[in-house]
Amino acid sequence: MRRRWSNWGRSAQAEFAAVARPRDEDALAATIRSAARAGQRVRALGAGHSFTPAAVTDGVSVRLDHVTGLWAVDEDAGLVTVGAGTRLRDLPGLLRPYGLAMENLGDIDVQTIAGAISTGTHGTGSAFTGIAGQVRGLRIALADGTLVDCSPQLRRDLFEAARLGLGAFGVLVSVTLQCVPAFQLAAHEHAVPLDGVLEGYAELVRSEDHLDLYWFPHTRTALVKANRREASPGAAQPLGAWRAWWEDEFVSNGLLALVSEIGAAAPSAVPVLNRIAAATVAERRYTGDSHAVFTAPRRVRFREMEYAIPLAALPDAVREIRRTIDARGWRISWPLEIRTAAADDVWLSTAYERDSAYVAVHRYVRDPFVAYFREVEEVLLAFGGRPHWGKLHTQSVGELSARYPRLDDARRVRREVDPAGTFANRYVDRVLGSVTSA
Ligand SMILES: Cc1cc2nc3c(=O)[nH]c(=O)nc-3n(C[C@H](O)[C@H](O)[C@H](O)COP(=O)(O)OP(=O)(O)OC[C@H]3O[C@@H](n4cnc5c(N)ncnc54)[C@H](O)[C@@H]3O)c2cc1C
């Protein structure tokens, strides 16, 4: 029986020929071998949180719900190996007994570790890389069903391609992560004038460990979330339970859903609603365990596009997007999110060999997004932008190989390990090219 599926953002649909939930790596290898023999395609599916159709297939959808948990720990080196299907939200509990934590995380924690690294999931912080940059080893099931280990010392090219590999090189079985001693973050959230932030952006990102900016179009105000790593962690000072519920659940999710619905039904109300939202932001300070401060629940569904640009280009790019929104007369209820990352050496990383700023645009799931995303994309491309692989964009392999210096190396490795395109789908063929017609 074919299975219908849709991703979290309702921007990708699939009808799978079959769903496989292998109990271990041998069962996974057998699944891949038998699908390949039958001429079926195979795609791993994580938590379905990519906006792009990265995990879509009309063949076999592999879920690693049973390939999870802690497999090995090297406490002295801070190296931890987990099953590839492990959810990010489960990592704190697995790492806590060893006094370890993830160095950096994105906004949410429901993704699988394999899914998160495979599209280049990142958080913010100009001294910190995305999650794929924290990977030190992989175990991967290849198209012929063999299970191989790779790392910087072992099959290096496969490692470099597959640690941010869009599921195109094989199915990841386990991931070895470089962790850090557990730490706390002191958060300071407040509103500031956008123009001032853009003016001093270069100094601001250097002075904060993890800086996240939100700008609501039609306002002159930016919301700052600055997280400082605590050198000597004390007792956590979380928000009171009532305030946390009111602001993080009621306002950030419940009220946001209501305001988004009003904005979808009456777009002319959006500028006023955005100004009210920006004017009523309360300043907050709290301290907590890193994962709890980095991530928050996101219950209101939306669509997103995100590009990485050179860090120094950020102020001009945001000003240009603001001009474009004003010129077009669009009514945009959801904010731009602006983050940073350190340059890394991950072949397909948005931050490959480049200190980067990220600009993400969002639209509520019931709002039209194509024209807005397309024009903002043109602006970001003109600033040297590289699209996030898990978020909506229109780029194809020809354009992307000019933006990702190691994309052709990744394509070579793909031809070597998957010559028949067992792990291909339309999205991967669009962005990496087809192996079978190459
Ligand atoms: C509400 C929300 C918030 C988000 N916040 C952020 C953020 O802060 N920062 C950011 O960078 N991104 C963010 N994202 C994007 C998200 O982190 C990525 O799209 C991520 O890939 C989703 O992980 P997943 O487990 O859902 O993977 P899926 O979307 O299910 O799959 C993603 C890719 O990984 C592949 N894959 C999955 N498992 C395996 C495996 N075992 N082996 C090989 N390949 C595999 C799939 O085939 C597919 O190509 C957000 C998305 C949403 C919806």
Side-chain angles (χ1 to χ4, degrees):
M1 198 173 59
R2 298 183 77 81
R3 307 279 188 87
R4 285 174 193 275
W5 171 87
S6 180
N7 65 339
W8 185 91
R10 305 284 182 261
S11 51
Q13 284 73 37
E15 214 173 284
F16 303 128
V19 172
R21 287 192 168 79
R23 298 209 79 82
D24 55 31
E25 62 179 31
D26 293 329
L28 168 64
T31 299
I32 294 170
R33 273 196 298 269
S34 84
R37 265 198 308 274
Q40 281 181 312
R41 299 278 174 85
V42 177
R43 293 295 296 174
L45 175 66
H49 270 55
S50 292
F51 296 93
T52 48
V56 162
T57 184
D58 57 5
V60 181
S61 176
V62 176
R63 319 279 169 86
L64 296 189
D65 307 338
H66 302 297
V67 183
T68 60
L70 192 59
W71 290 13
V73 183
D74 177 341
E75 280 185 70
D76 293 336
L79 290 172
V80 167
T81 301
V82 294
T86 306
R87 300 287 182 127
L88 299 184
R89 65 178 171 228
D90 295 328
L91 288 174
L94 296 171
L95 301 180
R96 192 173 299 120
Y98 305 95
L100 295 172
M102 296 284 284
E103 182 179 64
N104 199 3
L105 285 169
D107 288 345
I108 59 162
D109 63 1
V110 302
Q111 307 97 316
T112 59
I113 185 66
I117 63 172
S118 293
T119 61
T121 297
H122 62 90
T124 190
S126 47
F128 302 93
T129 70
I131 301 178
Q134 302 163 30
V135 173
R136 296 293 176 269
L138 299 169
R139 186 160 173 80
I140 180 167
L142 298 179
D144 60 3
T146 53
L147 292 153
V148 301
D149 294 303
C150 58
S151 69
Q153 295 77 35
L154 201 63
R155 296 195 68 162
R156 178 164 196 155
D157 282 6
L158 177 60
F159 172 74
E160 293 298 354
R163 67 171 157 155
L164 197 171
L166 295 162
F169 299 86
V171 178
L172 303 178
V173 176
S174 70
V175 179
T176 300
L177 295 161
Q178 178 66 65
C179 295
V180 298
F183 61 102
Q184 290 187 340
L185 287 171
H188 182 199
E189 298 172 16
H190 57 120
V192 291
L194 176 69
D195 287 328
V197 171
L198 295 181
E199 202 63 44
Y201 190 70
E203 296 77 52
L204 191 60
V205 290
R206 268 198 300 274
S207 66
E208 301 288 357
D209 290 328
H210 303 277
L211 185 80
D212 211 339
L213 288 183
Y214 295 89
W215 171 61
F216 282 89
H218 320 298
T219 77
R220 294 270 155 192
T221 308
L223 313 182
V224 175
K225 183 178 182 199
N227 294 330
R228 195 184 62 237
R229 296 166 90 93
E230 290 290 60
S232 46
Q237 294 175 314
L239 294 169
W242 165 249
R243 187 167 180 200
W245 178 85
W246 176 261
E247 290 172 351
D248 295 338
E249 280 298 339
F250 182 77
V251 176
S252 298
N253 286 295
L255 203 57
L256 178 64
L258 180 66
V259 169
S260 302
E261 278 295 319
I262 296 170
S268 59
V270 164
V272 172
L273 293 171
N274 283 11
R275 278 180 219 126
I276 294 171
T280 51
V281 167
E283 183 171 5
R284 313 200 298 177
R285 289 179 191 274
Y286 53 94
T287 305
D289 291 341
S290 54
H291 65 271
V293 176
F294 278 135
T295 66
R298 295 270 192 275
R299 303 193 205 288
V300 187
R301 289 182 199 246
F302 58 86
R303 271 73 177 260
E304 183 174 350
M305 178 184 75
E306 186 176 48
Y307 267 74
I309 56 174
L311 186 60
L314 187 276
D316 285 342
V318 173
R319 289 185 194 112
E320 189 58 34
I321 293 170
R322 181 168 64 186
R323 267 195 292 277
T324 305
I325 293 172
D326 290 346
R328 291 287 172 217
W330 292 319
R331 298 289 178 251
I332 307 297
S333 58
W334 279 55
L336 265 69
E337 186 178 12
I338 298 161
R339 294 181 279 183
T340 60
D344 64 32
D345 60 357
V346 183
W347 280 3
L348 294 180
S349 168
T350 42
Y352 180 76
E353 291 192 344
R354 190 167 88 175
D355 288 335
S356 299
Y358 292 90
V359 179
V361 287
H362 308 81
R363 290 230 78 180
Y364 179 50
V365 72
R366 296 208 316 109
D367 283 334
F369 65 91
V370 175
Y372 172 47
F373 284 11
R374 189 69 200 97
E375 288 213 27
V376 172
E377 184 174 40
E378 282 304 324
V379 171
L380 294 169
L381 287 168
F383 282 97
R386 295 173 180 161
H388 187 304
W389 301 101
K391 303 187 182 181
L392 298 170
H393 67 92
T394 67
Q395 302 298 287
S396 302
V397 57
E399 298 131 350
L400 291 165
S401 56
R403 294 174 183 275
Y404 284 88
R406 304 306 294 268
L407 192 125
D408 288 339
D409 290 310
R411 297 180 69 200
R412 169 181 50 79
V413 173
R414 185 168 169 234
R415 284 194 295 274
E416 285 162 17
V417 295
D418 187 17
T422 298
F423 299 115
N425 68 5
R426 281 171 69 177
Y427 177 69
V428 164
D429 283 353
R430 188 185 105 204
V431 297
L432 296 183
S434 162
V435 266
T436 42
S437 64

